[in-house]
Amino acid sequence: MKKHHNNPDSCTACTVCIANCPVTAATRKFRGPKMVGPTLERMRLSQDDIEPSLEYCSNCKNCDMSCPSGVPISTLNMLARAKYFKNRKRSLRDWILSHGEKMAKLSAATPGMANFGMKMSRGILKKIGISDKAPLPAYASKSFSKLFKNLKQTSYPDKVVFYPGCFINYNDPQVGMDFVAVMQANKLEVIVEEGFVCCGSPLVVNGFLDEAEENAKQNVQILKKWTDKGYPIITCCTSCGLMLKQEYQELFHIEGVAEYAKHLYDADEFLLDLHDQGRLNTNFGTLNEKYMYHAPCHLRAQGMGLPGVELLALIPGLDVQDADAGCCGISGNYGFKDDKYDISMEIGSGLFKTIKESGRDTVVSECGTCRLQIGHGANVKTLHPLTLVRKSYEAYHK
Amino acid sequence: MQKTTVVVIGGGATGVGILRDLCMRGVDAILLEQQDLAYGTSSRYHGLLHSGGRYAVKDAEAGKECIEENTILRKIGRHCVEQTEGFFARTHLDDEAFEGKWVEACAKVGIPTIPISVEEALRLEPNLSPKIKSVYRVPDAAIDGFRMVWQNVASARKYGGRVLTYTTVVGIEHSNNQVVGIKVRNTLTGEVSNIACDFIVSAAGSWAGEIAALAGINVNVQPDRGTLIAFNHRITSRIVNRLRPASDGDIFVPHGSITILGTTSASVNKPDDTVPNAKEVVELLNIGEALFEDIRSYRMLRAFAGTRPLYSADPNATGRGASRGFVTLDHAHDGLKGFVSVVGGKFTTYRLMAEKVTDLVCGYLNVKTPCRTAVENLVEDTSPALMAKARLYFPAYGAELAASRLGSEGLEKVIARIQEKPEKRQLLCECENVTMAEVEEAAADSTSYMISDVRRKTRMGMGTCQGAFCTFRSVGAVDANGLSWGKDTNVLFKEFLQGRWKGIRPILWGNVMREMELTRGIYEGTLNINGAIDNEGI
Ligand SMILES: Cc1cc2nc3c(=O)[nH]c(=O)nc-3n(C[C@H](O)[C@H](O)[C@H](O)COP(=O)(O)OP(=O)(O)OC[C@H]3O[C@@H](n4cnc5c(N)ncnc54)[C@H](O)[C@@H]3O)c2cc1C
């Protein structure tokens, strides 16, 4: 992409993206990625109007993945959404859903209270447009950064920088702790920067593009600083990873992203790389357990295969089956919205069915919100792959 | 036999302008066009409603005419003119000394030029090359040839004007050195007939020499071919002219969803020598790069060419040296009364040309009604109530465009079609946002005989996919509607696809190539329109 506007030129109108769009399959309310993305982009450059179905794009990126011409279709949609909101008021609902980090900080002092308040106020949330059925995440009693500060790591010469992201930091810190344990087992010391802010993914989907850009600038500066020093950056959240690595380049014009992006890894991907180099600690203890695996869309969008599945295959006794049943429907905060909840459940229905039919009671997946949705839709337990890796290392020493 | 007072030859800007003017002054008139309206140069052109800046230095009179007509058309032609304004930008390659001369010349003929900083220009048009040296704002505008021609015809029809398309003039009937009629041939049926008339006005553009020759009169029109490139999106929202003595590849004009770059200039023998070639395209890209550095990363849709009707009394003058002003030739001086040719000129000055010719004709006919084409709008504004209604039925980004193409009456009809069958709201042409209902309305018009006629009325097939998807859909629609001209669908397919192909062939690389392979797959593979499978005897 060149210069300051998005170039819809690569689209050949082949409509492959429509065939692969889970939202289009679930509802006629969405006119489809090709139409709303590159096709209307040409119109948006020449006139002002409102495309009502723009709000139905979930930014799941299945269109981008399927496009044979490399058009960043969903990003065109997100930019159009930002343009739409430039001179319009946002709803309280969208503000709340986009500002998980701020909300978390507000309630950090008394997380127990916040969760209690949240349960009580589902009725109120429903009134502002957040579904009362959706699987909203609870806040953890202690954030990852707090837990991490109190953790004594063994120091090693080789270090990695961890970008935890909001979900791990505030909702599911155990994944972060598992990550650190796995790194330590591989003789790596983990650095966590205080200055990291929300990657911006939840802001972008609700049109808070300017705020997302502010966050991006801050993160880019820090990420670049570390990669310049030769440290790899690792995420355990595939949406954060996609944002930091790829979407920043599509959405903004910030120097340095392309350079650090080469050294930014998903945790599973990073461990597999270590394995390829013969440096992975393979002292895996046997786990005679069965799991289903779900590949988050934002992992697939990064085009790195399914490192989680490959990694777990190294663990003796472990039986992990890839569900291979498409999008779970949640797409960040899309499925939390009252008017999108049913669509989101419809999108996930195929996956839920596959999981239920497998008879396995636990699903492994990298993405935090996918795990919430799957737990809700398929009524199963969920785990991050690293939790199993840690468990296997620990089993070895027992 | 049909009878009328005046026959106007040529359904381009000049012809329709004359038809409208005559009809508004109460003169009975018929316009004849050998193909479809706007088939000639009036759609194979750049679509720049000149401020006059391009001519000011070399031809002050033309510059003055332009700014005057530009001011009139921006008012009366609101629904075919897009008031984009324009830039004149001097690049690092252009002579600095010319700039001062140009500013002075513009001031002399009353063309407002406002200097702005390069920084400001880049803020307004971020795709412009940062290497440009200086920029001025001028009141250029974009004018859509198809819509302008149609709107003139719609207005003329209101005043009783008649239009016959696919009707070519084959003879001029006269007795005692006075025109008495015209012989025409229907190009679709081959049928020949006569129309009785007192007066013939030839507004046949580059073909004017051929028409005059039918009466044994010599009119020296030298067709001068210009090639243009249409890009897939609006790379600039303003017209951008190169600030240098008028030359090739100087101008970018945004039109609706696309941008047009042109033009070249070369003398040709035939008025319909309009097949563009790759060499011209590459030349234009090379030149265009000075204004828009990233030009090669923008997808081209097609190339197209038209011929300028350059008139010169001196048979040896050619190209840009020949006069771009216009002349009205009263052939009474050649010994035939009741026959006038109008030649040369520009799209921008069509109304003025029409006024001059109509004045002359009315003089002979003793009609005293004054010209009002400069004060009466081409089409009336669509009422806010109707627009609000249209927005309920048309998809996003569709209502305004449809209204400007259809006018109030047509818009009502298309809305009625959608009201009757809501599924007709779906887009038949997704790239240019044209509904099934509008295509059906255009197809049912008495001037439609093939899919390209529908295209010219709607812009269907003129966007990104260049007919890949809308060809089979529109052929299907025509077939399903049982239109008399829609019987042989194979012919319909080929006519339309070949028309698209003509402009694609000279730009067949990169994305265009991929698009064409997709199109070929659909039509040759899936639909087997070339009968390849039959030929193999399967
Ligand atoms: C490449 C290019 C770019 C240009 N750009 C601009 C611009 O940006 N701005 C501007 O102001 N001007 C521009 N011009 C000039 C402008 O387009 C022409 O001057 C104008 O369109 C001429 O209109 P017309 O009606 O005289 O001719 P035409 O539009 O050619 O109309 C003549 C019509 O007569 C018909 N005809 C011919 N023979 C017969 C027959 N025997 N019987 C019946 N009908 C017949 C033809 O089919 C044709 O439709 C450009 C020209 C070219 C070539």
Side-chain angles (χ1 to χ4, degrees):
Chain A
M1 249 181 311
K2 298 252 177 173
K3 294 259 178 95
H4 304 285
H5 80 243
N6 277 285
N7 189 334
D9 284 354
S10 297
C11 174
T12 57
C14 72
T15 71
V16 166
C17 56
I18 301 176
N20 284 282
C21 171
V23 181
T24 315
T27 175
R28 296 300 293 269
K29 286 181 182 156
F30 185 45
R31 292 175 77 201
K34 182 201 72 133
M35 192 68 212
V36 177
T39 301
L40 284 188
E41 189 62 19
R42 298 173 67 240
M43 299 293 146
R44 286 190 281 265
L45 291 170
S46 56
Q47 313 171 40
D48 273 333
D49 204 351
I50 297 166
E51 167 53 42
S53 85
L54 176 60
E55 65 161 301
Y56 286 94
C57 172
S58 74
N59 198 34
C60 72
K61 307 227 171 261
N62 282 285
C63 47
D64 301 32
M65 281 181 251
S66 63
C67 177
S69 309
V71 181
I73 307 170
S74 53
T75 298
L76 290 175
N77 290 345
M78 293 308 111
L79 289 167
R81 208 174 268 173
K83 190 175 163 194
Y84 171 85
F85 279 119
K86 198 119 214 164
N87 316 305
R88 286 184 181 84
K89 264 188 82 115
R90 245 78 52 113
S91 65
L92 176 62
R93 191 254 333 248
D94 287 358
W95 193 92
I96 290 177
L97 291 179
S98 305
H99 293 81
E101 186 174 41
K102 278 205 174 114
M103 302 281 294
K105 279 186 180 152
L106 282 175
S107 53
T110 50
M113 272 309 286
N115 284 330
F116 177 69
M118 177 103 103
K119 283 221 172 65
M120 289 297 287
S121 58
R122 283 304 284 259
I124 298 170
L125 290 179
K126 164 96 178 163
K127 283 219 172 71
I128 63 165
I130 295 177
S131 169
D132 54 352
K133 289 177 265 174
L136 292 186
Y139 291 118
S141 55
K142 277 205 176 94
S143 70
F144 170 75
S145 53
K146 261 197 192 147
L147 294 173
F148 181 76
K149 261 187 225 142
N150 295 329
L151 182 80
K152 275 225 94 41
Q153 281 191 84
T154 312
S155 185
Y156 292 111
D158 286 338
K159 299 182 191 356
V160 299
V161 176
F162 180 47
Y163 179 91
C166 303
F167 192 86
I168 288 174
N169 205 3
Y170 301 111
N171 304 109
D172 201 358
Q174 191 52 44
V175 171
M177 298 309 281
D178 292 344
F179 166 78
V180 178
V182 170
M183 290 299 120
Q184 288 270 292
N186 280 283
K187 299 198 174 6
L188 290 161
E189 186 181 335
V190 176
I191 301 169
V192 175
E193 259 272 0
E194 281 297 307
F196 281 135
V197 287
C198 168
C199 68
S201 186
L203 291 162
V204 169
V205 292
N206 290 315
F208 296 90
L209 195 68
D210 293 345
E211 268 182 74
E213 184 163 9
E214 287 312 307
N215 283 14
K217 281 183 189 153
Q218 182 161 343
N219 287 332
V220 167
Q221 204 198 340
I222 299 171
L223 293 167
K224 181 100 182 0
K225 178 185 82 188
W226 286 110
T227 56
D228 282 352
K229 288 187 193 163
Y231 293 94
I233 314 275
I234 303 178
T235 66
C236 286
C237 166
T238 47
S239 294
C240 294
L242 182 69
M243 192 49 128
L244 299 173
K245 199 160 71 179
Q246 185 174 320
E247 291 182 271
Y248 278 3
Q249 300 192 52
E250 294 169 0
L251 292 162
F252 312 121
H253 301 273
I254 306 173
E255 296 282 313
V257 183
E259 289 87 70
Y260 78 65
K262 285 180 230 146
H263 310 289
L264 199 146
Y265 302 88
D266 167 75
D268 302 342
E269 178 195 25
F270 181 79
L271 291 169
L272 269 187
D273 271 7
L274 286 187
H275 186 54
D276 288 348
Q277 295 158 18
R279 290 171 49 201
L280 183 73
N281 172 358
T282 50
N283 294 336
F284 289 120
T286 304
L287 297 179
N288 282 316
E289 294 163 8
K290 288 184 172 179
Y291 296 98
M292 280 301 265
Y293 171 79
H294 163 71
C297 298
H298 287 178
L299 169 77
R300 289 188 292 115
Q302 295 182 51
M304 55 167 78
L306 302 179
V309 173
E310 284 183 61
L311 183 66
L312 296 180
L314 301 174
I315 297 177
L318 197 62
D319 174 355
V320 176
Q321 187 188 324
D322 178 16
D324 192 19
C327 180
C328 73
I330 194 78
S331 277
N333 53 48
Y334 186 81
F336 296 158
K337 297 174 181 174
D338 202 22
D339 52 335
K340 309 290 187 314
Y341 174 80
D342 288 341
I343 298 171
S344 141
M345 291 302 282
E346 171 64 27
I347 294 170
S349 61
L351 173 66
F352 305 151
K353 186 160 168 267
T354 308
I355 293 169
K356 283 182 191 152
E357 283 172 357
S358 76
R360 304 186 174 203
D361 67 356
T362 308
V363 176
V364 184
S365 186
E366 286 85 350
C367 168
T369 51
C370 290
R371 291 198 300 273
L372 287 174
Q373 170 87 342
I374 290 167
H376 172 64
N379 199 18
V380 287
K381 289 178 291 228
T382 59
L383 286 173
H384 190 284
L386 287 190
T387 305
L388 288 177
V389 175
R390 179 184 191 173
K391 194 173 170 191
S392 169
Y393 280 144
E394 286 171 359
Y396 184 84
H397 293 292
K398 272 185 196 155
Chain B
M1 188 175 22
Q2 294 209 62
K3 271 175 97 157
T4 186
T5 311
V6 181
V7 162
V8 180
I9 306 171
T14 317
V16 298
I18 295 168
L19 179 74
R20 175 176 193 242
D21 203 340
L22 285 168
C23 296
M24 282 175 68
R25 299 196 212 186
V27 178
D28 189 53
I30 296 182
L31 180 138
L32 307 176
E33 165 55 49
Q34 62 175 349
Q35 301 263 342
D36 188 19
L37 292 169
Y39 160 82
T41 313
S42 299
S43 66
R44 302 169 193 283
Y45 84 130
H46 216 152
L48 169 55
L49 184 63
H50 285 285
S51 59
R54 186 169 172 80
Y55 303 105
V57 170
K58 205 164 163 207
D59 187 346
E61 196 192 336
K64 191 157 176 293
E65 277 174 10
C66 282
I67 187 64
E68 286 168 5
E69 287 301 304
N70 167 298
T71 310
I72 293 169
L73 289 172
R74 277 189 283 140
K75 210 163 87 252
I76 67 151
R78 272 204 293 281
H79 298 284
C80 57
V81 173
E82 208 187 324
Q83 302 222 26
T84 59
E85 90 165 7
F87 280 173
F88 269 78
R90 184 168 63 78
T91 76
H92 62 294
L93 302 170
D94 306 325
D95 177 16
E96 199 175 342
F98 182 74
E99 185 173 329
K101 262 199 264 176
W102 177 80
V103 171
E104 212 171 280
C106 286
K108 236 180 229 158
V109 291
I111 301 163
T113 57
I114 306 169
I116 59 169
S117 68
V118 168
E119 205 187 10
E120 175 69 356
L122 290 172
R123 192 185 64 77
L124 293 169
E125 296 300 344
N127 291 322
L128 264 175
S129 165
K131 288 195 213 129
I132 52 171
K133 296 292 175 202
S134 54
V135 184
Y136 295 81
R137 293 168 54 194
V138 296
D140 281 342
I143 181 162
D144 183 279
F146 300 108
R147 265 185 276 158
M148 178 279 206
V149 165
W150 273 99
Q151 290 171 4
N152 266 277
V153 165
S155 168
R157 277 178 171 164
K158 272 204 321 212
Y159 289 98
R162 284 173 283 170
V163 168
L164 300 175
T165 57
Y166 293 99
T167 303
T168 187
V169 174
V170 291
I172 289 174
E173 311 279 309
H174 46 87
S175 92
N176 302 324
N177 302 326
Q178 164 67 47
V179 164
V180 294
I182 197 159
K183 181 182 273 179
V184 298
R185 181 167 49 81
N186 181 316
T187 58
L188 300 170
T189 63
E191 196 182 314
V192 174
S193 60
N194 282 307
I195 300 171
C197 65
D198 303 328
F199 222 98
I200 294 172
V201 177
S202 163
S206 305
W207 292 261
E210 294 179 6
I211 299 289
L214 294 174
I217 294 166
N218 185 36
V219 167
N220 197 17
V221 177
Q222 170 62 55
D224 182 75
R225 169 191 154 97
T227 293
L228 302 137
I229 301 172
F231 290 90
N232 180 47
H233 76 270
R234 226 169 146 102
I235 60 185
T236 166
S237 57
R238 287 168 181 75
I239 287 149
V240 181
N241 301 268
R242 189 97 168 247
L243 179 42
R244 64 171 182 181
S247 180
D248 285 0
D250 281 350
I251 313 175
F252 290 79
V253 183
H255 280 281
S257 54
I258 66 168
T259 309
I260 300 178
L261 159 65
T263 153
T264 59
S265 173
S267 283
V268 288
N269 296 325
K270 294 217 311 274
D272 38 18
D273 184 348
T274 58
V275 181
N277 62 55
K279 189 168 161 279
E280 294 166 321
V281 170
V282 172
E283 269 169 31
L284 285 173
L285 291 176
N286 286 340
I287 302 169
E289 216 158 17
L291 283 171
F292 290 91
E293 284 186 321
D294 294 335
I295 194 163
R296 283 183 167 74
S297 75
Y298 304 133
R299 154 98 162 266
M300 291 181 281
L301 285 177
R302 56 193 292 109
F304 60 103
T307 56
R308 295 177 190 88
L310 295 190
Y311 172 77
S312 85
D314 165 14
N316 294 319
T318 52
R320 288 217 164 81
S323 168
R324 295 215 174 168
F326 64 88
V327 288
T328 309
L329 302 169
D330 182 347
H331 298 302
H333 302 298
D334 304 307
L336 181 59
K337 279 188 274 182
F339 183 30
V340 170
S341 294
V342 52
V343 271
K346 283 179 268 299
F347 198 100
T348 304
T349 53
Y350 89 95
R351 195 210 59 84
L352 180 65
M353 292 161 73
E355 178 176 343
K356 292 273 158 67
V357 180
T358 310
D359 283 349
L360 178 78
V361 176
C362 286
Y364 278 110
L365 299 174
N366 212 14
V367 171
K368 299 268 179 334
T369 321
C371 175
R372 287 189 303 110
T373 54
V375 292
E376 187 173 309
N377 289 346
L378 284 180
V379 287
E380 287 317 313
D381 292 347
T382 307
S383 72
L386 181 57
M387 269 323 297
K389 188 170 163 197
R391 279 193 204 97
L392 297 178
Y393 293 99
F394 282 87
Y397 301 89
E400 303 281 341
L401 282 177
S404 78
R405 288 191 292 255
L406 291 157
S408 301
E409 222 173 289
L411 192 62
E412 301 251 31
K413 284 190 194 157
V414 173
I415 292 173
R417 281 177 186 267
I418 299 175
Q419 281 172 327
E420 195 187 324
K421 290 199 177 129
E423 70 271 20
K424 303 284 180 191
R425 174 180 189 261
Q426 67 181 295
L427 294 181
L428 189 145
C429 168
E430 291 173 45
C431 305
E432 287 295 308
N433 231 346
V434 189
T435 61
M436 171 91 89
E438 187 179 342
V439 167
E440 289 185 349
E441 181 66 26
D445 191 275
S446 64
T447 55
S448 294
Y449 300 96
M450 46 195 82
I451 306 283
S452 294
D453 297 341
V454 177
R455 168 179 70 80
R456 281 181 283 263
K457 293 181 181 100
T458 59
R459 277 197 68 78
M460 176 202 99
M462 295 170 81
T464 306
C465 83
Q466 289 287 306
F469 292 89
C470 56
T471 306
F472 63 77
R473 291 179 189 156
S474 56
V475 168
V478 166
D479 186 46
N481 279 271
L483 293 167
S484 61
W485 54 273
K487 296 212 174 70
D488 191 341
T489 51
N490 213 27
V491 170
L492 297 185
F493 270 124
K494 286 188 181 166
E495 182 273 329
F496 197 64
L497 290 171
Q498 285 304 324
R500 300 289 81 201
W501 179 233
K502 176 180 170 186
I504 291 164
R505 201 165 12 207
I507 57 163
L508 202 54
W509 58 84
N511 257 336
V512 184
M513 173 79 97
R514 303 174 67 238
E515 187 81 67
M516 271 309 100
E517 281 302 288
L518 175 63
T519 310
R520 228 159 58 87
I522 294 173
Y523 293 93
E524 292 198 334
T526 310
L527 296 174
N528 187 29
I529 61 163
N530 279 333
I533 293 175
D534 282 353
N535 294 344
E536 285 163 16
I538 296 167

